[in-house]
Amino acid sequence: LGLLDGAMFAAALYYPLVSVIF
Amino acid sequence: MVTLRLFAHLREIAGTARVELEGETVAEVLSAARARFGDEFASGLQSAAIWHNGETASPADAVKEGDELAIIPPVSGGSGTMAQGMVDSALVAGLVGLLLLIGTNLAPGPAWWAAGLVLLMAVWSVDIAARLEDRGREPVTLGILTAIVVAVISTHVYGGVGLGFSLYISVAVVLAWGVVVSRYRQLTDVAPSVLIALVATSGTGSLMLTRTIYEPDQHAISIFILAVGLAAVVAAILDRVRAPLLDPYSGTALAAVLGSVVGALIWEEDVVGFVLVGLGLALFLVVGRSLGSILRTGRV
């Protein structure tokens, strides 16, 4: 399930990212 | 001539599953392979198991004309057919995960979304913990699962503060597990467990919070699913098919930006903002994949 690793990491930082940009 | 059979990423690097090489001993054949396929192959060789005519081999073993050496990296699952099976099950799992996210996002209210996230994070954590166990580590799997559940509850109840709290909890739960169960007191087991717990809990909390705050009006979650889903599909294709000018990592990054922009256009959101989001996602996807590869195989 190596493909999921990137997705999980992206999920972890998604809220901080979106809330900084918007 | 000795036949060398290659599996998984070593086969990808070499570009062939079978090669004939000269050598008197196992070590000589392997150094001939290193010389032919380069540094990346050589570093992959370090963690691979070597089999000589179906028996485990040591470097000093003598080889003769017509012998067969199989080089099996730890992630290949042990043989050619197994590797093929794992590739397919990974694809199926990825697809099921994607459909799960789409379905639970469409469902009204946060309950289904939270349940879907917990399931996905739990499956991912158990899978990555199993890979660590394959390498002789003892990840604190139950502690990680507990931390995920706590993260969902605390983020649901306390919002952003709860998300921060759940990060603290995920570290504390995994460390506390070591206090209670003596075999979880090795730093080499605790450190990756804390890392997995942190990614899983913050992933769960972050996506819950994003959906609560930005859906259904601002489509941040729909764009996330589109961008990450597209990136995963592109990465899966590029892992299997060699494309000129595009390796899996840059393909992933491009797909994430493209998915994010297309999503912003579809749902009529701020395109400039989502270009930035796409760039951020591209970076996180690439870093996350490298991080996962470190946890799974000990190498980037």
Side-chain angles (χ1 to χ4, degrees), chain B:
Chain B
M1 288 294 226
V2 176
T3 307
L4 204 61
R5 296 189 63 202
L6 304 171
F7 296 95
H9 67 284
L10 291 177
R11 180 178 57 195
E12 304 292 318
I13 296 166
T16 175
R18 185 182 284 271
V19 61
E20 304 277 328
L21 289 169
E22 296 284 356
E24 299 289 320
T25 62
V26 171
E28 282 181 32
V29 176
L30 293 183
S31 75
R34 273 188 215 100
R36 183 182 292 196
F37 300 123
D39 290 343
E40 200 184 343
F41 185 88
S43 76
L45 208 53
Q46 286 171 358
S47 58
I50 316 290
W51 293 74
H52 177 209
N53 292 342
E55 307 278 336
T56 29
S58 65
D61 290 353
V63 289
K64 58 182 190 303
E65 183 76 28
D67 277 6
E68 190 174 83
L69 285 183
I71 303 186
I72 303 172
V75 288
S76 77
S79 76
T81 43
M82 268 297 283
Q84 200 57 46
M86 279 181 73
V87 163
D88 292 341
S89 67
L91 265 186
V92 171
L95 214 59
V96 169
L98 198 61
L99 290 177
L100 184 76
L101 282 185
I102 294 172
T104 50
N105 185 36
L106 290 175
W112 284 105
W113 178 245
L117 283 178
V118 169
L119 183 64
L120 199 64
M121 292 296 172
V123 168
W124 175 74
S125 308
V126 169
D127 175 68
I128 204 162
R131 292 289 82 74
L132 280 166
E133 275 172 13
D134 289 347
R135 290 168 50 223
R137 300 280 168 76
E138 294 221 40
V140 193
T141 314
L142 269 179
I144 297 170
L145 295 178
T146 310
I148 295 173
V149 174
V150 174
V152 169
I153 297 168
S154 96
T155 310
H156 179 63
V157 176
Y158 299 111
V161 176
L163 175 59
F165 182 66
S166 69
L167 299 184
Y168 157 75
I169 286 290
S170 58
V171 176
V173 166
V174 173
L175 293 182
W177 226 267
V179 176
V180 181
V181 186
S182 59
R183 66 193 169 107
Y184 295 132
R185 283 174 201 166
Q186 293 293 322
L187 190 61
T188 46
D189 296 331
V190 172
S193 304
V194 168
L195 190 61
I196 296 170
L198 275 175
V199 172
T201 52
S202 53
T204 317
S206 154
L207 289 189
M208 273 190 70
L209 211 54
T210 311
R211 188 174 187 271
T212 320
I213 293 174
Y214 294 105
E215 292 279 328
D217 304 329
Q218 285 177 276
H219 302 103
I221 283 294
S222 308
I223 292 172
F224 174 83
I225 295 172
L226 179 68
V228 171
L230 188 68
V233 169
V234 167
I237 294 170
L238 288 178
D239 278 343
R240 287 160 185 76
V241 186
R242 260 162 202 259
L245 301 175
L246 211 59
D247 60 283
Y249 284 93
S250 46
T252 307
L254 269 178
V257 178
L258 196 70
S260 182
V261 172
V262 169
L265 291 172
I266 294 175
W267 286 289
E268 296 175 346
E269 294 295 333
D270 173 12
V271 175
V272 178
F274 274 100
V275 168
L276 294 176
V277 169
L279 288 172
L281 280 180
L283 180 71
F284 300 156
L285 283 167
V286 170
V287 172
R289 206 174 163 190
S290 309
L291 189 73
S293 151
I294 293 173
L295 285 170
R296 283 166 196 273
T297 65
R299 287 178 297 108
V300 179

Side-chain angles (χ1 to χ4, degrees), chain A residues 1 5 8-9 11-12 14-15 19, chain B residues 93 121 124 202 206 220 284 292 296:
Chain A
L1 301 182
D5 298 347
M8 294 304 153
F9 195 70
Y14 193 60
Y15 176 71
S19 53
Chain B
M121 292 296 172
W124 175 74
S202 53
S206 154
F284 300 156
R296 283 166 196 273

